Amino acid sequence: ARAFPKSTSMAKAFFVSEDMELAQLLLHEDNAFNCLIEVGHTGGLQFNNVYDEDRLINGLYTVKVNLCYELLRYIEFLESHMPALNIVPTYYGNVDNEDRPRESHIPVYDEQLRRLNTEMRAVMEHYNTLERRHNYLVEKRYALQKAEKMLISEGPDGAELLFTESIMIGLLKDQSDAQPISSQLNYLLGSINVEKFQAFEIMLYRLFGRNLLVRRAEMPEPVYEQSGAKRELVHKFVVLLMTISVTIRPKLLKCCAAFHVTIFECPETSSRRLRMIEQLEHEAIDLNIVLGETRDARLKILMSASRISFSMGVNLNKAMKVYDLLNRMSPVGSQERQKYLQAECFVPKSQVDEVRAALNRGAAAESGDIVGLNPPPLLLMRTRKSKHVPPTHFKLNKFTRGFQNLIDSYGMADYKELNPAPYTIITFPFLFAIMFGDLGHGLILIFFASFLIIREKAIEEAARTARTENEILNILFAGRYIILLMGIFSVYVGFIYNDVLAMPMNIFGSSWSCVYNATTIRKATSKLGLDPNDPRVYTGHPYPVGVDPVWKISGEDAITTFNSLKMKLAIILGISQMMFGLCLAALNCVRRKSMPDLLLVVVPQFVFMTCLFCYLVFLIFFKWLNYGGLKQSPYNSACAPSVLITFIDMMLMKSSELEIGGCNKGMFPKERLLEYVLVLVAFGAVPILLAGKPIYLTRRQKKLKKERGERDTGDLKKKGRQTLTEMRTSPTHDGSPAEPSQKRADEPVKSSSDHDDVEFDATEIWIHSGIHTIECVLGSVSHTASYLRLWALSLAHSQLADVLYEMVLNKGIKNRLPIFIAVPMLAAAFFIWALLTVAILVMMEGLSAFLHTLRLHWVEFQSKFFSGSGDIFRPFYFPPSTIRS
């Protein structure tokens, strides 16, 4: 019994914005944090002006904001090391309800995270030192092994050495221009990044020419290299640099340092090299044992951190937002004892009790109901209105939210302005279907939207737990009910068009019959047609629902007929929607009690549109109902006048001569006289639209001056500013900053000093009125022509479907090849046709029709009554936590 009033209230808050209450919030410092945490999970409270750039910060919570930021950095540091060990933070789906942060939790978080951070940094410092040492030992051992093979020629691996040491000394002596200083080889052993070796080798050749011999060998496994704070896995070469000159060694070391070559100690004798290799192997084994223990310690710390990092990260982000908000609230009380914080806020009238309950829950969260330990939060309703218009808030559900998003993309409705979204629920999918109308394509949309709706909970859960956000899927999922309605209306319009994947349906039987036999058709020397005035060809009874299937096989006549039908249908629907928009504009004026706007702006537009374009719609219906096949002259098809020519003659106030004798000069008696009257009335409304409101505002200002004289100059200036505001504001909404009827009687009128120099300016008012009049008159013509896109896109969609059917699928159906070739060919043709149908006709054409429908609503429909200049209601609210939080 109580659900019906609640649903009625919700429906009302969807047609117009919900009532907003201006409130003063008072919070005690002891429980302010917990109160705001509960409010953040509930929503419904918008704080005014706290996030302005010139807002003064009280500084009471700056330390705690910095603490939360520092703890979040600790969590980020711990989580940055988890991927290396394939550790994933534990995700808690119900963290928002089961683990809400309290102010007493912050010190606990601080203690745990600081301990984990200290331990992790110590372990990582020790681990990095050991790992660098281990990598150095591995590189050095491999370098010595390669150097050993390069410098000796004995053993089974001696084939690697092309020349003995004495031969190499001789070669280097022969290449050197100067006398050798030493009679033995000098060499350097090191490792270098593979990517740097080519440049390093070229540099050595240019500096030392043939005085230096370079040998290299690639290491079998990549090793970690530390480059500043970056640690990466790289491939390296072992390089052996040999020369007989001692003087070039310092230059050689500088080149190695420039290219980050790691230099290793290399003993001169083979026995010492082998002994060093053995020592390095033992040391590497010992280091591996220590590294394993260090890895276990690191794994233990990160596993502990992974169990708490997600929930702590979510709660610390919430805490930082709350502390930042508390830092922006105004302290109340004496300078020594400022125990309360206050802020001005807006709250929806229906959520006042819910917000108060959340505040009380927060106050009792830790202290319970102990008297004296639980200072109550206060949410006081203010009687006077704010200096600015309240924000706009609509009650939405998962069905209406998608349509509201379409409107909000254009602009937010003003406070208490009519919301276009409820009407868009019907008009948007219907106009889309006019352009997309095909029963088969509509079923594809229905199946896709139904899948999204059936799998709704699974998709939402997958979106919450996904590491990356799928934006395309999110957009489609948010508009699942829009897609469903577009599919349903497309099925309906496709049934009216009698179009199923470019094929007609003959459910009720055609009203047309072919009277030609095969002999007549074979001997025909010209085109044969079906005469609608012949009762043997046409029964006179229209097809019960939609278009007769005979038109789909009528060739060029079908295009002509569908052109005429869809063009007239586009005009009818367009004018109907624009007239409905004007009706909503009138309703807006009635709701605001703005009779000048209603009588001097909306009514002239209504008269202009009715006399011209509604009469055009009347002519279309009159022609459909009175002219046709099997009717006697002058009401047969041959005498049917062109609606376009008739309307042009009406605007030019002239008459066209009849081309066919025996037909009436007009559609009905006194038609020309009626058209002259309608044109005169329509253009007579234009001066009222142009001069009506400026004259009214000028007379109102003169009346104000006459009544008050020059006694209250400040009040006159204020009235002049209000007049300019009314004129500059769109006549379809109220732009005054406050409603005079809602102000208290005892409240003094104050004038802003910033605008004292702005007074009543008749010139500016006339300019604004002229611009608005031009927009209305020219817009009525251009907007009506804009609706012809319904006809153009519908025809394009139909013809493209026909082309795909005839050129792809029909080729496979009508092939006369042997069955073992025909069946695979038909399957291939069907696959290509289905793929192109989904990709082009459903996805690309559907997107095109969607965008054109969106434009018709934003420009042609909403411009008649919707301003879109309101402020959206932005409550202090924590959105549901996801794994990306």
Side-chain angles (χ1 to χ4, degrees), residues 127 224 274 369 437 440 455 460 498 615 619 643 721 797 823:
Y127 179 81
Y224 283 100
L274 292 174
D369 296 327
R455 300 285 299 168
E460 288 178 347
N498 205 345
Y615 177 71
L619 291 178
V643 174
R721 289 193 300 274
H797 185 81
V823 171

Side-chain angles (χ1 to χ4, degrees), residues 498-519:
N498 205 345
D499 208 354
V500 185
L501 299 173
M503 294 173 282
M505 299 182 297
N506 192 5
I507 300 176
F508 305 105
S510 177
S511 301
W512 296 77
S513 302
C514 181
V515 296
Y516 305 114
N517 54 28
T519 304

Side-chain angles (χ1 to χ4, degrees), residues 813-818 822:
I813 295 174
K814 292 186 176 180
N815 75 82
R816 296 292 184 265
L817 298 172

